[in-house]
Amino acid sequence: MSAETPVKLTHNEDIKAAIPTLAGTIAATIADTATDHFSEDDNQFLKFHGSYQQDDRDLRKTGKKYIMMIRGRIPGGVMTAKQYGVFDTLATQYGNNTLRITTRQSIQFHGVVKNNLRPVVKAINESLLSTLAACGDVNRNVLAPPTPAYTKAREQVYADAHKVALALAPQTKAYHSIWIDGEQLDLEKAENKNFVDPLYGKTYLPRKFKIAFVIPPVNDLDVFTNCLGLIAIVENDRLVGYNLAVGGGMGRSHGNEHTYPRLADVIGFFTPDKIVDVAKAVLTIHRDFGDRTDRKHARLKYVIAERGADWARTEIEKRAGLTLASAKPYQFTTTSDLLDWRKAVDGSWFLGLFVESGRIKDAGSYKLKTALRHVADAFDKVEFRLTANQNIILANVSEEDKHPINMLLAAYGVKTEKQTSVLHAASMSCPSLPTCGLGLAESERMLPGLIDRIEKLCAEVGLAGEEIIIRSTGCPNGCARPYMAEIGFVGKAPGRYQVWLGANATGTRLNRVWKDMMKEADIETEFRPVLSRFVKERNRGERFGDWCDRVFLKEHATAAN
Ligand code: SF4
């Protein structure tokens, strides 16, 4: 682009600049109970408030039925029993009677009609959580280690995650005014008329921004898939600082080579007292250098990829007023959650519960939703922790409460040991159809059945009980991190998937495309020869993803050239 070429900003940039309070005309549309949906511009503002306008795609043939998705902002995924109870009530009363755990340690509701949106958001705020900045061009829900098992330093890391979430929250008064007071923000008031967010400015970020804190050796938050990754360095149970990783992200678009998944670069180490300065420095680099002309190319990862890690280090040091030390040694051994009962470092118990695709619901004799609600009502000291693998941990359980909780869960068909097979436990999917407007193929409704089929195939070729991380998404945006799976299915068209192979189990290697398009019906035919070869050719203890990376994908690349 020459210096004279006028820069055409995206429409989102224009509307943010025109209304930096993000109020849009949301309050007026809420007040108009005769309409069932928001305008397209208000839909963009709504995202900052934590909601997406969707429609039920199963019903499109008979007409458009608007429904809202609402997502909580729950730093580190930690909820009190009381807060969980509030979310459960809202799902029953206003949603589709399910709670969906997201890959960013949050809960989202699906199927809320427009006129019920305000009661839901208001009740979430009254429970002392929020939905502000759960979506939109801002810092999203901050991830923090959910597992209480390893080290006392978790408390400090969790406190830092909270501090960062607070420091990076947008300051607009429109949120409170619309959802809590039920009023249109008075735009004639000077403070609203001239509002500019002190951190984000008038136009916020070019796109979303994601942060994760993680404590090695557990990488249960896939830290390198975040714009900003903070790898806690713990010595003698004490947090000494963080290795700083910048520029990760999953999203891409089919057929657009300027978009790709990327792992964050580790660029240095700093002490915990600088945590907010560093977070603001990285976020403002995204704000100032991110692409505002193309939303598909507007993530921080492209800024880092194109300008380089050395440039990023210098810029962060300048903005945060520090000198980064060399990164400290660390090692990851797993990205999985700990399921079943375990003892935490403080002597209390915690229970990791598998939740298929993150969907908390009642289905036949397996009544997970009802069971968890009873736990929340009866055990007020139990903490509900959402994991980035879409599972739930019941933490802070005393020795004497362990048995009654087991009994209660069992009464509703929820097991606390041997909860599922290894393949199901290692799987993850995004919601896609029927709620997500971007879904090109099924994901959540397809994956459990597909895992059953792959399980059968594994047993056939001599791989029964073998863990393989399998993830699916309905489109290339990658909400369930399919590019970090040993087998990733990425929707291309109804019943057709791009297939990616070869990531590792510690979250430090991306997978690569094997098949650009595979029919769901052909899974057995396509995978049987590959899995059979793996059985014969693997090194002792070698995982499927590692063998694909070492042998199979190399051959595949050579054959393709
Ligand atoms: Fe929707 Fe795509 Fe995200 Fe799935 S990956 S929820 S289809 S945007």
Side-chain angles (χ1 to χ4, degrees):
M1 198 187 287
S2 78
E4 292 80 42
T5 310
V7 177
K8 176 88 182 86
L9 299 177
T10 63
H11 180 66
N12 291 63
E13 295 304 320
D14 294 340
I15 64 173
K16 286 183 282 184
I19 311 180
T21 60
L22 308 169
T25 55
I26 295 171
T29 309
I30 288 174
D32 179 2
T33 52
T35 181
D36 62 352
H37 69 282
F38 294 89
S39 69
E40 196 31 56
D41 282 358
D42 275 351
N43 187 24
Q44 299 307 318
F45 288 124
L46 259 186
K47 293 179 185 173
F48 291 83
H49 299 244
S51 180
Y52 273 63
Q53 179 163 276
Q54 306 179 321
D55 71 288
D56 188 331
R57 294 178 60 184
D58 284 348
L59 303 180
R60 273 191 188 170
K61 280 193 188 121
T62 52
K64 206 161 188 172
K65 181 175 185 281
Y66 286 102
I67 43 174
M68 306 289 155
M69 183 281 282
I70 308 163
R71 189 181 290 159
R73 194 185 71 203
I74 309 171
V78 175
M79 307 175 88
T80 62
K82 205 164 166 204
Q83 286 169 333
Y84 182 83
V86 170
F87 272 61
D88 178 79
T89 301
L90 293 172
T92 316
Q93 229 175 320
Y94 300 113
N96 64 359
N97 206 21
T98 72
L99 299 102
R100 198 4 164 120
I101 303 175
T102 74
T103 50
R104 294 204 67 76
Q105 293 184 293
S106 183
I107 285 180
Q108 61 190 38
F109 304 100
H110 292 277
V112 178
V113 296
K114 187 222 102 192
N115 287 341
N116 287 336
L117 194 53
R118 186 168 165 247
V120 173
V121 177
K122 193 163 184 271
I124 289 173
N125 278 270
E126 282 164 358
S127 82
L128 303 183
L129 287 169
S130 177
T131 65
L132 176 65
C135 320
D137 300 343
V138 279
N139 175 48
R140 301 283 186 90
N141 200 37
V142 176
L143 304 188
T147 306
Y150 303 102
T151 166
K152 288 183 186 143
R154 182 193 166 271
E155 290 308 314
Q156 173 75 55
V157 172
Y158 179 64
D160 282 348
H162 247 276
K163 215 193 280 179
V164 167
L166 208 64
L168 304 188
Q171 300 299 309
T172 173
K173 291 201 173 109
Y175 181 80
H176 196 278
S177 156
I178 295 169
W179 306 107
I180 316 301
D181 302 336
E183 290 167 4
Q184 176 67 42
L185 192 70
D186 182 358
L187 290 175
E188 290 313 307
K189 248 186 169 174
E191 62 179 29
N192 297 330
K193 205 172 183 176
N194 305 318
F195 176 76
V196 177
D197 187 276
L199 177 64
Y200 291 100
K202 274 181 96 171
T203 50
Y204 295 81
L205 301 178
R207 283 252 351 241
K208 59 189 160 188
F209 187 80
K210 296 182 174 180
I211 301 179
F213 287 73
V214 80
I215 308 177
V218 178
N219 187 14
D220 49 0
L221 302 161
D222 261 329
V223 68
F224 298 110
T225 65
N226 287 266
C227 305
L228 167 55
L230 297 149
I231 302 165
I233 303 298
V234 176
E235 289 171 6
N236 302 321
D237 252 1
R238 204 177 59 80
L239 175 73
V240 295
Y242 295 101
N243 279 349
L244 171 62
V246 292
M250 291 281 92
R252 48 176 279 279
S253 307
H254 285 314
N256 180 347
E257 81 228 20
H258 299 300
T259 67
Y260 44 84
R262 182 178 195 276
L263 296 186
D265 298 311
V266 178
I267 61 167
F269 169 86
F270 65 95
T271 49
D273 55 313
K274 294 287 182 191
I275 186 70
V276 169
D277 299 325
V278 169
K280 283 188 175 173
V282 180
L283 180 131
T284 55
I285 288 175
H286 181 33
R287 180 194 68 192
D288 298 344
F289 294 96
D291 187 346
R292 291 180 186 262
T293 65
D294 176 3
R295 286 181 70 79
K296 290 189 186 336
H297 187 257
R299 298 291 304 276
L300 177 71
K301 63 181 173 178
Y302 302 118
V303 177
I304 305 297
E306 286 156 22
R307 292 175 182 257
D310 288 342
W311 172 86
R313 189 180 301 108
T314 309
E315 196 65 33
I316 291 165
E317 288 180 341
K318 195 170 76 191
R319 288 171 185 240
L322 52 66
T323 304
L324 291 168
S326 301
K328 303 256 188 201
Y330 65 93
Q331 209 186 2
F332 289 123
T333 55
T334 181
T335 49
S336 306
D337 289 338
L338 290 175
L339 298 181
D340 308 342
W341 283 106
R342 314 269 174 160
K343 203 155 201 174
V345 74
D346 64 358
S348 67
W349 288 91
F350 68 98
L351 172 65
L353 283 174
F354 170 67
V355 184
E356 183 102 63
S357 292
R359 184 74 65 178
I360 298 174
K361 62 181 178 186
D362 288 348
S365 57
Y366 173 72
K367 295 188 167 30
L368 180 64
K369 182 173 179 290
T370 304
L372 288 176
R373 178 55 193 261
H374 283 302
V375 173
D377 288 344
F379 301 92
D380 61 351
K381 298 215 165 39
V382 170
E383 224 171 52
F384 285 62
R385 294 189 186 171
L386 312 166
T387 83
N389 290 316
Q390 302 176 324
N391 296 314
I392 194 158
I393 292 172
L394 303 179
N396 287 348
V397 178
S398 62
E399 180 75 46
E400 56 274 21
D401 285 347
K402 207 179 146 210
H403 181 63
I405 288 178
N406 262 343
M407 299 296 288
L408 200 157
L409 293 171
Y412 292 99
V414 179
K415 292 192 209 160
T416 53
E417 50 187 36
K418 295 198 180 84
Q419 296 173 36
T420 186
S421 69
V422 282
L423 275 196
H424 280 275
S427 71
M428 206 152 74
S429 67
C430 76
S432 195
L433 295 161
T435 51
C436 178
L438 300 176
L440 303 168
E442 292 284 352
S443 180
E444 180 179 336
R445 296 193 293 197
M446 173 281 299
L447 192 67
L450 186 75
I451 300 275
D452 288 343
R453 287 165 58 194
I454 296 179
E455 216 151 50
K456 225 166 133 197
L457 190 56
C458 282
E460 227 177 275
V461 300
L463 285 172
E466 178 82 17
E467 184 186 86
I468 301 174
I469 298 168
I470 304 174
R471 295 177 181 170
S472 76
T473 55
C475 86
N477 272 356
C479 295
R481 305 191 292 274
Y483 312 113
M484 302 307 290
E486 292 177 281
I487 306 176
F489 294 97
V490 177
K492 277 206 101 171
R496 287 171 163 75
Y497 297 85
Q498 199 171 54
V499 182
W500 296 60
L501 299 179
N504 61 10
T506 53
T508 57
R509 185 179 66 228
L510 288 165
N511 53 19
R512 314 200 278 285
V513 178
W514 169 38
K515 296 270 176 182
D516 189 49
M517 179 93 93
M518 187 185 285
K519 282 192 201 153
E520 194 200 328
D522 294 343
I523 298 288
E524 283 85 354
T525 330
E526 297 276 11
F527 271 93
R528 186 174 287 106
V530 187
L531 290 169
S532 303
R533 266 195 69 185
F534 166 59
V535 174
K536 287 194 203 101
E537 296 177 18
R538 71 194 295 194
N539 290 332
R540 185 191 285 264
E542 191 174 32
R543 291 186 63 110
F544 180 66
D546 294 333
W547 174 78
C548 285
D549 179 64
R550 181 175 67 82
V551 179
F552 184 69
L553 289 167
K554 281 199 184 117
E555 284 176 16
H556 179 68
T558 314
N561 286 328

